[in-house]
Amino acid sequence: MLLARLQLSPSPRIARRAITRAPWTNVATLALLVGTSGCASMASDFAPMPRAYESENEMMPREPGGGGMFAGAMRSSAAPKSARRMAVMADAVGGESLADEDVMDGASVPVAAEPAEPATPAEPSSPGTKRLIIYTANYRVQVADTTNAIDTFVAEVEALGGFMSQRQNAQVTVRVPAASFDAMLARLPQMGTILSRQVQSLDVTADFLDVQLRLDTALKSRARLAALLERAEKMEDILRIEAEVRRLTEEIEVMKGRLRLLSDQIAFSTITVDFMKDAPEVTPLNQQRRSRFGWIRRVGLERILSDF
Amino acid sequence: MFIPAKLRIACALVVATQALAGCATVSIDLPSDFLVLERDAEARELRAATADEARVWVREHDAPPGAELPFWRKALMRDLVDARGYTVLEEHDVKDATGREGVELLCEATLGGVPHRYLLAVFVLPTAFPTFFDDTIRTVEYAAEKDVFETHLAAVRAGIKAMR
């Protein structure tokens, strides 16, 4: 009531008078104001939460232009630029750490090498940190000729620097440089009718930096043990240190492998396309969310084939 | 209660107009490949089929008055695509011989393991008296197995364009 009176009061003077005339209600008003301001701050705390995982799963046989909601989100957020990502990873592992390269799945994949200086990875949540994101997509596309479509698709992937990683009947999985992910997805609606589309982005920044940090720590520990090993004289000490070095080395290899895998998945997005010659089977009547309009329920392929 | 003569005549004309509109038979010009199986003025429908089981079904339905073509297009897409799982291959505007605008959907769907294609043309015939009468939705459906569909597609489309 007091709040209502205050809001309706024509001037601050009248409002002040209302407060002085109702001292008990002042306390309640203050409590209410504090309470509501608390709610507001809670809401604003939640608002800027970074989205660690985004996905789009859409059944969309129309919209031949492709793109859609996810394409917009991709453009507005961190676009998949492999070159930029490599720079980010280089920053994260201490500048020169990407000098070593391994070959995985036929592609050149940057590998985090042992840093000479202790790395100081940035906090994943700090505003300046760029995100490391793995993009994957699953499409079902109806085409006139599946073999021809697969050949065309794979040829275009290879032209963009990607490669085919798996093919099973009319389903093909390809890896494309992250920078070409959008371009490749935009190409699919031109090849046929999109029956379904699922695109996911997984933010692995925290995971990557965490593994990197643990790797740095393990490397430093191993270096210290190596120094101790040189000074050790007792056989018992030597055996214990060597056992610890072996354990650490195994851990280091596992972490390197994890970093290598993440680097590969970040640098090369995965697209799986199921090419189909015919449209899928119609949803059974009892599973359909039917229209409320009678005439719409009375038309359709099922009706013309059964009630004709 | 006194009702002026002019108003009585007007009411009678309205009823007569609507009654005549309801009695009008639906028709479509189809080539001789199609055999007209049923022409039902009462039910306002026409069925025709070819020897290779391509089917044409022209009907008029009652629908709540006031909704225009974009509304029905959206409602149809929701039902055919989202609910039933049809794949829309083409979607475009059409006109009949009177210049009335409609929408044509060309879909594909598999039923019982057999891929079919399905064309649906929709025209809205709004009532002049929405307080008393429903709108009329005229539909032309053409369905056939995928391999047969293209054979008669042009003839059916020509028939739709020539409809009055």
Side-chain angles (χ1 to χ4, degrees), chain B residues 7-20 128-129 132-133:
Chain B
L7 185 58
R8 269 183 285 174
I9 292 167
C11 287
L13 281 172
V14 166
V15 172
T17 310
Q18 287 294 328
L20 284 172
F129 306 98
F132 303 106
F133 301 103

Side-chain angles (χ1 to χ4, degrees), chain A residues 142 278-279 281 301-302, chain B residues 47 59 86 108 110 112 146:
Chain A
Q142 188 186 352
D278 299 319
E281 187 80 23
L301 191 58
E302 306 94 323
Chain B
R47 303 174 198 222
R59 287 185 280 175
Y86 288 16
E108 185 172 322
T110 299
K146 191 174 174 178

Side-chain angles (χ1 to χ4, degrees), chain B residues 15-148:
Chain B
V15 172
T17 310
Q18 287 294 328
L20 284 172
C23 288
T25 54
V26 293
S27 65
I28 184 169
D29 292 335
L30 293 170
S32 56
D33 295 353
F34 283 90
L35 174 67
V36 176
L37 303 173
E38 189 175 1
R39 191 190 298 272
D40 189 340
E42 186 78 14
R44 294 182 291 165
E45 65 179 286
L46 178 149
R47 303 174 198 222
T50 62
D52 48 11
E53 286 293 326
R55 299 167 182 202
V56 168
W57 199 357
V58 186
R59 287 185 280 175
E60 288 188 348
H61 316 261
D62 291 332
E68 295 181 352
L69 198 59
F71 177 89
W72 293 123
R73 180 196 292 239
K74 201 171 174 182
L76 262 176
M77 291 297 277
R78 187 204 160 277
D79 194 70
L80 297 182
V81 177
D82 300 342
R84 306 193 206 186
Y86 288 16
T87 301
V88 175
L89 304 175
E90 291 176 27
E91 178 190 358
H92 50 78
D93 298 333
V94 285
K95 276 186 182 176
D96 65 11
T98 66
R100 184 181 291 115
E101 291 189 347
V103 60
E104 183 194 289
L105 304 175
L106 177 57
C107 306
E108 185 172 322
T110 299
L111 264 176
V114 181
H116 286 79
R117 289 214 167 154
Y118 171 70
L119 179 143
L120 172 63
V122 178
F123 297 93
V124 180
L125 286 65
T127 174
F129 306 98
T131 313
F132 303 106
F133 301 103
D134 281 341
D135 281 350
T136 298
I137 304 288
R138 180 179 291 160
T139 58
V140 181
E141 297 172 90
Y142 166 53
E145 288 184 12
K146 191 174 174 178
D147 301 336
V148 176

Side-chain angles (χ1 to χ4, degrees), chain A:
Chain A
M1 280 298 291
L2 180 67
L3 276 177
R5 274 162 55 195
L6 287 175
Q7 285 165 358
L8 291 171
S9 296
S11 71
R13 193 177 54 187
I14 297 173
R16 275 199 302 276
R17 198 184 309 152
I19 289 170
T20 46
R21 283 181 186 174
W24 280 106
T25 51
N26 291 352
V27 179
T29 308
L30 278 173
L32 197 60
L33 284 171
V34 169
T36 51
S37 64
C39 288
S41 65
M42 276 175 69
S44 61
D45 286 347
F46 278 108
M49 280 274 286
R51 282 185 296 174
Y53 185 85
E54 291 179 31
S55 83
E56 181 194 17
N57 186 356
E58 189 180 347
M59 298 296 291
M60 46 85 64
R62 52 187 182 278
E63 199 181 21
M69 190 167 60
F70 183 76
M74 294 247 298
R75 281 190 288 275
S76 62
S77 65
K81 305 290 181 199
S82 60
R84 196 192 313 156
R85 287 217 181 92
M86 292 305 98
V88 172
M89 283 188 284
D91 289 342
V93 296
E96 62 188 85
S97 57
L98 294 176
D100 192 5
E101 285 203 351
D102 274 1
V103 174
M104 183 182 287
D105 287 346
S108 177
V109 177
V111 177
E114 297 173 15
E117 293 292 323
T120 53
E123 285 293 320
S125 57
S126 65
T129 308
K130 286 175 183 160
R131 316 307 301 179
L132 303 175
I133 297 172
I134 296 170
Y135 293 98
T136 54
N138 289 280
Y139 273 63
R140 278 197 308 161
V141 184
Q142 188 186 352
V143 293
D145 182 349
T146 51
T147 309
N148 187 32
I150 291 172
D151 291 345
T152 307
F153 180 64
V154 171
E156 291 189 14
V157 164
E158 286 171 351
L160 289 170
F163 57 95
M164 183 175 71
S165 69
Q166 191 181 10
R167 178 174 175 175
Q168 187 174 16
N169 299 326
Q171 188 187 68
V172 63
T173 302
V174 297
R175 308 287 309 282
V176 292
S180 304
F181 183 66
D182 260 350
M184 214 51 236
L185 293 190
R187 183 70 185 85
L188 283 170
Q190 297 162 13
M191 299 180 71
T193 307
I194 306 295
L195 300 177
S196 71
R197 181 177 65 179
Q198 183 184 44
V199 185
Q200 292 181 323
S201 62
L202 182 61
D203 189 337
V204 293
T205 313
D207 192 17
F208 191 94
L209 295 179
D210 177 58
V211 175
Q212 183 61 55
L213 188 64
R214 285 190 286 122
L215 175 62
D216 292 343
T217 308
L219 287 170
K220 279 187 277 182
S221 297
R222 193 173 68 175
R224 282 197 296 272
L225 284 173
L228 279 177
L229 190 61
E230 282 186 5
R231 294 205 301 272
E233 291 177 351
K234 289 183 184 174
M235 184 54 70
E236 186 187 348
D237 291 342
I238 292 170
L239 290 175
R240 280 175 59 190
I241 292 169
E242 279 184 347
E244 188 62 16
V245 167
R246 262 199 306 276
R247 188 189 66 78
L248 273 175
T249 302
E250 282 173 13
E251 268 187 24
I252 286 166
E253 289 309 313
V254 169
M255 286 187 280
K256 278 184 181 175
R258 174 73 181 148
L259 283 182
R260 211 168 13 237
L261 180 67
L262 284 175
S263 302
D264 170 64
Q265 289 177 328
I266 293 164
F268 282 81
S269 305
T270 305
I271 302 174
T272 301
V273 184
D274 204 348
F275 288 101
M276 303 172 74
K277 192 172 185 297
D278 299 319
E281 187 80 23
V282 169
T283 312
L285 279 170
N286 57 359
Q287 292 175 20
Q288 292 175 9
R289 297 174 292 115
R290 302 304 305 276
S291 171
R292 71 177 303 280
F293 302 108
W295 77 267
I296 290 180
R297 290 199 300 272
R298 287 193 291 274
V299 299
L301 191 58
E302 306 94 323
R303 301 301 294 266
I304 199 171
L305 293 182
S306 63
D307 300 350
F308 195 77

